[in-house]
Amino acid sequence: VVKADILIDNIDLAFEVWEKRSWSKYYSFEDFCEYILPYRIDDEPFENWRRIYCERYAPILDSLYRGDDVVEAARVIANYLKTEGFFKHEDITTPHWGALFLLDTRIGYCRENCDIATYVMRALGIPIAMDFYKTSPSYNSRHFWSALIDTTGLAVSFNYAEEEISRQKSMSEKKKGKVYRCYYGMQPEKLDEIYVDKTIPAFFRNPLMKDVSEEYFPDDNIDILIDKNINEDWIYLCVFTGRELIPIDIGKPHSRKVEFKNIEQKLIYFPTYCKGGHMVVAGCPFMPKHGE
C-alpha cells in the first residue's frame, strides 16, 4: 500500500531539489522523471527515504561544492561516501535492502553499493542510474555499477567505494559483452513481440531495463550467419562461462543472417537458439575485432 501523502512528499521534494541545482537546465523533463523522481529502485521495502537522505547529505554537498558541474558535485559527495565505509559481502543474495537500512548499514555486494549511490545522488538532484552486464566470461557472474548521467547525455561510470568519479576515467577492463540499464519506467520493446513471447528467457522480457551498449561500444555491429538447417524465430548471442552458454543478447534472423548491435570487441561469442530451456549452438563461434 502506497499512501498519497508519501508520494506527494516524494514528488514535491524531488522538484524542490531539482530546481535548486543549476545543472538541471541541461536535462529534459524525461531525464528528471527517470533519473531523479522515482520513489524506489526495485523490490526493496517501501520507505519514505528522500527527505531523510536529503537532510543528511545536502548540507555536506553544499559545504564542499557550490559550482554547476554535475560530475564534480557527484565526485565530491562520492568521495565523502567513501569515508563512511562499505563492507563487501557476497555470501548471500537477497532482494534489495531498504534505503533506511542502507543509510547506516553499509553492507552488501556491488548492487547495494549502487543502491546507496542512487539514493544519495537522487536526493541531491544528481541524475543517476544503475548499469550492469548479465554475465562476464571472465568472472562467471553479473556485475552492477553506477552510471552518472552527464549534461551531455552520456553516462559516467563509477563505483564510489573503489574509484574516483571522472569523465576521463573509464571503468575497469572487465569483459562485459553487452551493457543494460535498470529503469523505473517501462521501456519500448527492443524487438516487436519480445515482451509477450513466453518462449523467450525472462531476462529479455523485462520491460524495466534497456540495452545501453551503444554508450559503451558505439558502432560495434556485426552480422552473423547461422546454420542453414536452423529455423527459429529468435537467435541469441551467448558467452561461455566455462560451464554453460549464457545468452546476453537476442536478435531476429533474416535469410539466415542475424544482426547484433554494439557488442564488445575481442570476446568470443556463440550464436544459439533455445530448445527445452537450454541454449543450442546455431553457428560457428566468433571473436569480433576492429577492422576485421
Side-chain angles (χ1 to χ4, degrees), residues 45-252:
F46 176 71
E47 297 170 325
N48 194 9
W49 56 271
R50 190 181 296 269
R51 186 173 299 279
I52 296 172
Y53 270 78
C54 184
E55 290 177 351
R56 175 162 171 171
Y57 290 103
I60 295 170
L61 176 60
D62 292 341
S63 69
L64 296 174
Y65 184 71
R66 291 185 175 273
D68 58 4
D69 186 342
V70 67
V71 175
E72 180 62 16
R75 186 189 69 82
V76 167
I77 199 66
N79 287 348
Y80 180 85
L81 288 177
K82 190 172 183 178
T83 67
E84 294 186 329
F86 183 82
F87 180 70
K88 192 172 183 180
H89 193 295
E90 300 179 341
D91 290 347
I92 58 174
T93 300
T94 66
H96 291 256
W97 291 337
L100 301 184
F101 175 84
L102 290 174
L103 183 64
D104 294 307
T105 309
R106 304 305 176 86
I107 186 173
Y109 63 108
C110 55
R111 189 189 64 183
E112 276 67 49
N113 181 286
C114 294
D115 285 354
I116 293 168
T118 298
Y119 290 127
V120 173
M121 299 296 179
R122 287 181 178 175
L124 298 176
I126 298 173
I128 193 173
M130 183 161 57
D131 290 357
F132 70 97
Y133 55 72
K134 187 173 186 286
T135 300
S136 169
S138 303
Y139 296 90
N140 300 335
S141 63
R142 184 178 296 192
H143 181 59
F144 296 85
W145 61 93
S146 297
L148 168 67
I149 310 303
D150 197 2
T151 51
T152 61
L154 297 179
V156 178
S157 303
F158 72 96
N159 180 314
Y160 80 81
E162 298 177 358
E163 58 190 352
E164 190 169 63
I165 299 177
S166 171
R167 288 187 176 93
Q168 286 72 44
K169 193 172 184 179
S170 60
M171 256 199 67
S172 67
E173 296 303 317
K174 292 179 180 178
K175 291 296 184 181
K176 307 171 186 63
K178 296 285 292 183
V179 177
Y180 293 89
R181 181 165 297 158
C182 302
Y183 282 88
Y184 183 77
M186 295 276 289
Q187 299 302 302
E189 288 181 297
K190 180 178 180 179
L191 297 168
D192 290 342
E193 302 178 357
I194 195 172
Y195 289 164
V196 297
D197 190 338
K198 301 301 183 183
T199 66
I200 296 173
F203 174 81
F204 298 107
R205 290 187 280 114
N206 180 1
L208 302 181
M209 73 173 194
K210 181 180 178 181
D211 184 344
V212 293
S213 304
E214 185 177 10
E215 297 182 26
Y216 292 83
F217 319 116
D219 303 320
D220 288 342
N221 304 335
I222 191 167
D223 286 316
I224 63 171
L225 189 67
I226 60 175
D227 293 342
K228 60 182 180 181
N229 61 331
I230 303 297
N231 185 24
E232 298 288 332
D233 293 332
W234 306 98
I235 297 296
Y236 300 91
L237 190 69
C238 288
V239 294
F240 185 56
T241 66
R243 297 189 298 268
E244 59 182 330
L245 291 168
I246 301 294
I248 62 172
D249 200 3
I250 184 173
K252 264 191 171 298

Side-chain angles (χ1 to χ4, degrees), residues 1 16 22 42 87 89 103 111 178 230 256 266 279:
V1 176
E16 179 183 326
S22 57
D42 192 353
F87 180 70
H89 193 295
L103 183 64
R111 189 189 64 183
K178 296 285 292 183
I230 303 297
R256 292 183 58 203
K266 298 182 179 180
M279 292 295 149

Side-chain angles (χ1 to χ4, degrees), residues 1-7 39-40 46:
V1 176
V2 181
K3 295 184 178 180
D5 57 346
I6 295 179
L7 288 179
Y39 64 89
R40 69 187 311 182
F46 176 71

Side-chain angles (χ1 to χ4, degrees), residues 7-26:
L7 288 179
I8 292 170
D9 187 55
N10 178 79
I11 293 169
D12 288 346
L13 192 58
F15 271 105
E16 179 183 326
V17 70
W18 184 239
E19 292 167 356
K20 174 183 176 181
R21 301 302 178 186
S22 57
W23 52 74
S24 64
K25 61 179 177 287
Y26 298 108

